[in-house]
């Protein structure tokens, strides 16, 4: 699922910001499974705030020269194409960010080995390097300076998807704990008879259903008032709640298993490791709270004349 949602971040970028030529060249193959995509926004020094990125694209005769490094990029080393966000104007802040489609065979592009991660080992993340990569102007997504707005719309979609993954992981933990409570006996009694564990299971179910309801509400907000994307506040709320809920549910489910939960012979330790990523990737829980608070309060800051929500948006892309 993490591999597929990373692919969607790339295809959404083209679908949202690209012209008909780009869509025709990449989206049919991406939809059929012939092509795999990656979304390259995060850098070693620009995670929660993409406006700090140093990757840049300099326009020449008929092409751009792309230079920089991207970090923690899902699918990056195995993708057929990568949507790369880079600055075309180093002094324009978020208005200087543009997006490009880079084919894996482009000279000057290279990927490091897959990172060794705590969980989610079915989908790998990579560091990507771009050294004087020649990128055709036709591979730019939209106009110069529109990349940041495209990325924010893409990430709003992605946060709903990540929240759904969290509910799936929590459900796996819940079902495993429920089945174990029926099987495991203490003093000849199934542990499902113990009220303390019953209440833990009840709380797990409450969290899962609340997360599911928030996700459905965020997803349903797409298409309202001719806005094709999920409401950014609802998407952030769904991701915060579902990701923190998944950590709580998997922790409690492991507790139900006792020492066996800590053993690699049982599924719980893996499920808990997988859940831990989701308060980080796609916008940390702390940054998303800043985004939500800014929109609730309609705060103004010296950094932006357009309101706190845009500053929060800039810090919410991870």
């Amino acid at each position: 699922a993490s591999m597929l949602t990373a692919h969607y971040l790339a295809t959404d970028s083209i679908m949202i910001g690209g012209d008909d030529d780009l869509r025709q060249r990449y989206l049919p193959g991406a939809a059929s499974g012939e092509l795999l995509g990656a979304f390259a926004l995060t850098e070693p020094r620009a995670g929660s705030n993409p406006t700090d990125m140093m990757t840049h694209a300099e326009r020449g005769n008929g092409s751009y020269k792309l230079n920089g490094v991207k970090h923690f990029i899902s699918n990056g080393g195995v993708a057929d194409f990568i949507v790369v966000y880079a600055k075309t104007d180093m002094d324009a802040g978020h208005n200087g960010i543009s997006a490009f489609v880079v084919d894996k065979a482009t000279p000057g592009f290279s990927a490091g080995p897959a990172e060794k991660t705590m969980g989610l080992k079915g989908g790998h993340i990579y560091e990507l390097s771009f050294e004087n990569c020649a990128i055709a102007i036709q591979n730019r997504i939209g106009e110069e300076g529109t990349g940041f707005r495209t990325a924010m719309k893409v990430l709003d979609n992605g946060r709903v998807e990540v929240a759904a993954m969290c509910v799936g992981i929590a459900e796996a933990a819940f079902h495993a704990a429920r089945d174990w409570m029926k099987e495991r006996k203490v003093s000849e009694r199934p542990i499902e008879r113990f009220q303390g564990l019953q209440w833990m299971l009840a709380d797990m179910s409450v969290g899962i259903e609340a997360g599911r309801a928030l996700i459905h509400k965020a997803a349903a907000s797409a298409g309202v008032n001719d806005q094709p994307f999920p409401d950014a506040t609802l998407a952030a709320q769904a991701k915060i709640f579902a990701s923190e809920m998944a950590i709580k549910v998997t922790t409690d489910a492991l507790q139900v298993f006792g020492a066996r939960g800590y053993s690699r012979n049982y599924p719980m330790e893996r499920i808990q490791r997988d859940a831990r990523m989701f308060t980080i990737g796609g916008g940390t829980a702390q940054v998303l709270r800043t985004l939500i608070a800014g929109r609730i309060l309609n705060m103004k800051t010296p950094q932006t004349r357009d309101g706190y929500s845009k500053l929060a948006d800039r810090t919410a892309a991870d």
Side-chain angles (χ1 to χ4, degrees), residues 7-65:
H7 174 71
Y8 287 156
L9 294 176
T11 58
D12 280 357
S13 298
I14 297 172
M15 195 152 53
I16 290 168
D19 59 20
D20 288 340
D21 173 65
L22 266 183
R23 292 172 183 165
Q24 188 58 42
R25 281 194 281 139
Y26 290 97
L27 295 185
S32 69
E34 296 172 40
L35 299 177
L36 181 68
F39 176 87
L41 181 66
T42 300
E43 297 186 6
R45 303 180 106 183
S48 291
N49 188 355
T51 60
D52 288 339
M53 72 171 59
M54 298 303 295
T55 297
H56 58 280
E58 183 178 351
R59 186 166 179 170
N61 294 324
S63 67
Y64 289 85
K65 187 178 291 184

Side-chain angles (χ1 to χ4, degrees), residues 117-118 121 259-270 273:
T117 57
M118 175 179 171
K121 295 180 181 293
R260 288 175 176 83
Y262 201 64
S263 168
R264 299 189 75 173
N265 292 321
Y266 290 80
M268 282 313 311
E269 62 88 26
R270 174 200 162 187
R273 284 188 289 104

Side-chain angles (χ1 to χ4, degrees), residues 201-212:
L201 204 64
D203 286 344
M204 291 181 211
S205 72
V206 171
I208 290 168
E209 293 308 320
R212 195 192 316 277

Side-chain angles (χ1 to χ4, degrees), residues 243-271:
S243 61
E244 293 182 346
M245 176 273 295
I247 291 175
K248 173 84 165 59
V249 167
T250 55
T251 298
D252 287 349
L254 190 150
Q255 186 72 16
V256 168
F257 273 78
R260 288 175 176 83
Y262 201 64
S263 168
R264 299 189 75 173
N265 292 321
Y266 290 80
M268 282 313 311
E269 62 88 26
R270 174 200 162 187
I271 293 173

Side-chain angles (χ1 to χ4, degrees), residues 13-301:
S13 298
I14 297 172
M15 195 152 53
I16 290 168
D19 59 20
D20 288 340
D21 173 65
L22 266 183
R23 292 172 183 165
Q24 188 58 42
R25 281 194 281 139
Y26 290 97
L27 295 185
S32 69
E34 296 172 40
L35 299 177
L36 181 68
F39 176 87
L41 181 66
T42 300
E43 297 186 6
R45 303 180 106 183
S48 291
N49 188 355
T51 60
D52 288 339
M53 72 171 59
M54 298 303 295
T55 297
H56 58 280
E58 183 178 351
R59 186 166 179 170
N61 294 324
S63 67
Y64 289 85
K65 187 178 291 184
L66 179 66
N67 286 278
V69 174
K70 296 294 183 179
H71 202 42
F72 298 140
I73 306 304
S74 298
N75 298 349
V78 294
D80 298 291
F81 66 94
I82 304 102
V83 173
V84 180
Y85 290 82
K87 285 189 174 178
T88 46
D89 185 340
M90 299 298 289
D91 300 319
H94 69 283
N95 288 319
I97 296 174
S98 303
F100 303 87
V101 182
V102 179
D103 292 312
K104 69 176 181 181
T106 302
F109 166 69
S110 61
E115 295 273 353
K116 294 182 178 180
T117 57
M118 175 179 171
L120 297 177
K121 295 180 181 293
H124 302 299
I125 58 176
Y126 301 83
E127 182 171 277
L128 309 181
S129 297
F130 306 89
E131 296 183 13
N132 293 323
C133 293
I135 310 301
I137 290 176
Q138 292 82 355
N139 273 38
R140 187 186 67 214
I141 299 176
E143 299 298 321
E144 281 193 9
T146 62
F148 178 79
R149 289 188 289 278
T150 296
M152 293 303 100
K153 293 173 182 176
V154 169
L155 288 170
D156 286 340
N157 272 346
R159 287 175 187 135
V160 179
E161 294 165 3
V162 169
M165 291 167 64
C166 293
V167 168
I169 287 175
E171 278 198 308
F174 169 79
H175 291 148
R178 181 197 60 192
D179 293 347
W180 180 249
M181 285 172 60
K182 293 179 177 296
E183 178 182 340
R184 172 67 170 159
K185 292 183 179 180
V186 173
S187 300
E188 301 303 318
R189 296 173 62 199
I191 62 173
E192 68 175 348
R193 303 280 184 86
F194 295 99
Q195 189 179 64
L197 298 183
Q198 291 174 359
W199 285 10
M200 290 173 69
L201 204 64
D203 286 344
M204 291 181 211
S205 72
V206 171
I208 290 168
E209 293 308 320
R212 195 192 316 277
L214 258 179
I215 291 163
H216 286 177
K217 184 175 182 179
S221 69
V224 175
N225 297 324
D226 296 323
Q227 169 56 260
F229 314 106
D231 177 81
T233 301
L234 289 174
Q237 288 170 338
K239 183 181 180 297
I240 290 172
F241 184 87
S243 61
E244 293 182 346
M245 176 273 295
I247 291 175
K248 173 84 165 59
V249 167
T250 55
T251 298
D252 287 349
L254 190 150
Q255 186 72 16
V256 168
F257 273 78
R260 288 175 176 83
Y262 201 64
S263 168
R264 299 189 75 173
N265 292 321
Y266 290 80
M268 282 313 311
E269 62 88 26
R270 174 200 162 187
I271 293 173
Q272 187 168 36
R273 284 188 289 104
D274 286 349
R276 188 59 188 86
M277 175 60 186
F278 293 112
T279 57
I280 302 171
T284 66
Q286 291 72 32
V287 162
L288 293 183
R289 282 181 166 88
T290 300
L291 183 153
I292 293 168
R295 288 184 170 169
I296 291 171
L297 298 170
N298 193 26
M299 292 173 64
K300 304 285 185 179
T301 72

